[in-house]
Amino acid sequence: MNKGHIRNLDWAGLETEIRGMGQPPFRAKQVFQWVQQKGVSHWEEMTNVPKTIRDQLAVKYELAGLSVLKRDVSKLDGTVKYLLGLKDGETVETVLMAYEEQEGRDRKTVCVSTQVGCPLGCSFCATGKWGFIRNLEVNEILGQVLAVNQDLSRKGEAPVTNLVFMGMGEPLLNYDHLIKSLRILNHPDGLNISLRRISVSTSGIVPGIRRLAQEGMPLVLAVSLHAPNNELRDRLMPINRRYPLEELLDACYYWVSETNRRITFEYILLAGINDNLQQARELAELLKGLLANVNLIPYNGVAEAPFRQPSRNRITAFRRYLEEHGVTAVVREERGSDIAAACGQLRGQEMRGKDDYQI
Ligand code: SF4
């Protein structure tokens, strides 16, 4: 029999399964906690669940977690990058970023992947270069967070507090698995991570943004913009030819009106490409009147890539122009630059078996 993975089941799915076995609902709660909160990989670890139930579940379901194939720690800022192995031999990247205290506890943010590879081929992105392999299953999305938690727990550290769906792949092209994973991560008997501490990043999948606005989820929507006009965005992000800026901005206004929540726009600053003051002016015009803020991310690729980071003066001038024209903007430094933490770089190195990378 081809087994499913028990971590693909949400609360209702597991309850139905346990009920179908003639067991009371509290058994579903126990199993759910072992699977989705503690992240166990072996049935016998479920010490308060009778063996008969474990045996029946084991006949139908897999329980194994993701294997940690590689773990690199940045000497610069402590960022940890994991290369995780999936059942079919594919690999996926997950990054842990530890920040200073927030609301009385350390903030630990995990950057989660949703696809193996990515079909969208953005010109500055290592993942896009490798093409699209497949969507991740729910257990593979959740397994990334659980793998990081287990690593933290081994070191006696507190678990993950925040999530950004900004790793490999386009989250809104794996929509159903994304939403199911979010509900499980937010469940009180799961990791109980507040949706307000979760960001979903999209390259601009317009139908996905509109659908997400209807989910009633108070999460943070981040839109990767990277260019203030269609001509440039078409070149940097081919998805713009499908959903041009006018349609994207319409969807963003829809998001704000439906959710009452601000949008974060990500803008990677590429020297000589999208970092002049004329482009800052276009960007300010584009976002005028929208409840939004801009994260400016100075490009931090490797030496062989055809892009460069702008000078500090240019970055400051760009940010200042936006601020002076009514757009809230902050400069965010990329983390873990010494460990190939940019999306797709580590997997790229593994596939090529060496340490360089070219866009
Ligand atoms: S930047 Fe994101 S959407 Fe674009 S190719 Fe890379 S993973 Fe895909």
XYZ file of all heavy atoms in Angstrom, residues 115 117-129 166-170 202-203 224 226 237 343, ligand 1:
176
model
N 8.342 25.072 -2.504
C 8.474 24.253 -3.711
C 9.922 23.763 -3.807
O 10.830 24.393 -3.253
C 8.152 25.076 -4.971
C 6.720 25.594 -5.001
C 6.410 26.372 -6.278
O 7.187 27.225 -6.693
N 5.272 26.077 -6.879
N 12.710 23.930 -6.183
C 12.928 24.781 -7.351
C 11.808 25.804 -7.447
O 11.050 26.018 -6.494
N 11.702 26.447 -8.598
C 10.662 27.457 -8.790
C 10.463 27.668 -10.287
O 11.441 27.717 -11.035
C 11.077 28.771 -8.125
S 9.847 30.084 -8.347
N 9.210 27.800 -10.732
C 8.981 27.955 -12.171
C 9.132 29.395 -12.681
O 8.997 29.622 -13.877
C 7.522 27.499 -12.325
C 6.883 27.800 -11.008
C 7.954 27.692 -9.969
N 9.408 30.358 -11.793
C 9.232 31.752 -12.208
C 10.481 32.443 -12.745
O 10.388 33.505 -13.361
C 8.617 32.559 -11.057
C 7.224 32.061 -10.655
C 6.614 32.963 -9.599
C 6.294 31.969 -11.853
N 11.640 31.883 -12.513
C 12.852 32.331 -13.200
C 13.225 33.794 -13.044
O 13.659 34.427 -14.022
N 13.110 34.358 -11.851
C 13.559 35.749 -11.654
C 15.069 35.818 -11.928
O 15.813 34.922 -11.528
C 13.265 36.201 -10.227
S 11.508 36.171 -9.838
N 15.486 36.890 -12.556
C 16.849 36.909 -13.097
C 17.938 36.985 -12.026
O 19.078 36.642 -12.281
C 17.006 38.096 -14.049
O 16.725 39.276 -13.343
N 17.586 37.436 -10.823
C 18.594 37.603 -9.764
C 18.602 36.436 -8.789
O 19.255 36.478 -7.760
C 18.292 38.898 -8.975
C 16.846 39.005 -8.608
C 16.337 38.339 -7.519
C 15.967 39.725 -9.409
C 14.999 38.399 -7.205
C 14.616 39.796 -9.102
C 14.132 39.123 -7.997
N 17.848 35.369 -9.090
C 17.587 34.340 -8.077
C 18.219 32.999 -8.445
O 18.050 32.502 -9.556
C 16.081 34.187 -7.914
S 15.619 32.785 -6.895
N 18.930 32.428 -7.481
C 19.585 31.140 -7.717
C 18.567 30.013 -7.893
O 18.735 29.135 -8.746
C 20.519 30.831 -6.549
N 17.498 30.042 -7.099
C 16.494 28.977 -7.196
C 15.866 28.951 -8.583
O 15.689 27.887 -9.182
C 15.384 29.189 -6.145
O 15.964 29.131 -4.862
C 14.314 28.127 -6.260
N 15.515 30.158 -9.081
C 14.862 30.237 -10.386
C 15.696 29.587 -11.477
O 15.182 28.983 -12.412
N 17.003 29.677 -11.327
C 17.899 29.133 -12.349
C 17.752 27.620 -12.488
O 17.955 27.061 -13.566
C 19.338 29.504 -11.984
C 20.365 28.975 -12.967
C 21.760 29.345 -12.533
C 22.810 28.511 -13.258
N 22.726 28.617 -14.698
N 9.372 32.611 2.346
C 10.176 33.412 1.445
C 11.344 32.594 0.919
O 12.302 33.131 0.391
C 10.719 34.598 2.245
C 10.622 35.926 1.584
S 11.147 37.202 2.728
C 9.600 37.986 3.142
N 11.296 31.284 1.153
C 12.396 30.431 0.725
C 12.243 30.035 -0.733
O 11.754 30.818 -1.557
N 12.638 28.813 -1.051
C 12.556 28.377 -2.442
C 11.102 28.257 -2.881
O 10.262 27.722 -2.166
C 13.227 27.005 -2.581
C 14.718 27.038 -2.306
S 15.402 25.391 -2.157
C 15.109 24.796 -3.805
N 10.821 28.749 -4.089
C 9.497 28.563 -4.663
C 8.561 29.731 -4.444
O 8.852 30.659 -3.685
N 7.435 29.689 -5.138
C 6.400 30.721 -5.032
C 5.251 30.142 -4.193
O 4.524 29.257 -4.661
C 5.929 31.108 -6.447
C 4.623 31.857 -6.524
C 4.557 33.120 -5.658
O 5.389 34.013 -5.837
O 3.629 33.202 -4.808
N 5.082 36.845 -2.016
C 4.739 36.428 -3.379
C 5.432 37.317 -4.400
O 5.675 38.500 -4.153
C 3.211 36.448 -3.612
O 2.962 36.080 -4.979
C 2.614 37.819 -3.349
N 5.702 36.724 -5.550
C 6.294 37.491 -6.647
C 5.215 38.256 -7.408
O 5.523 38.981 -8.349
C 7.015 36.544 -7.594
O 6.077 35.595 -8.070
N 7.057 40.905 -3.668
C 8.379 41.202 -4.235
C 8.195 42.059 -5.475
O 7.673 41.583 -6.480
C 9.090 39.904 -4.621
O 9.294 39.126 -3.474
N 10.657 44.870 -6.778
C 11.992 44.934 -7.405
C 12.107 45.863 -8.612
O 13.209 46.046 -9.122
C 12.497 43.542 -7.778
C 12.438 42.546 -6.659
N 12.708 42.900 -5.349
C 12.125 41.222 -6.625
C 12.566 41.829 -4.572
N 12.210 40.816 -5.320
N 11.609 39.996 -13.639
C 10.676 38.993 -13.122
C 9.668 38.647 -14.221
O 8.668 39.351 -14.407
C 9.936 39.557 -11.895
C 10.870 40.026 -10.786
S 9.962 40.715 -9.391
C 9.252 39.233 -8.666
N 18.382 32.595 -1.268
C 17.544 31.494 -1.704
C 18.125 30.717 -2.883
O 18.442 31.279 -3.912
C 16.209 32.134 -2.056
S 15.161 31.274 -3.146
S 12.817 35.012 -6.419
Fe 11.206 33.668 -5.628
S 9.645 33.667 -7.262
Fe 11.539 34.449 -8.209
S 12.528 32.615 -9.075
Fe 13.365 32.921 -6.990
S 12.088 31.603 -5.694
Fe 10.974 31.916 -7.635
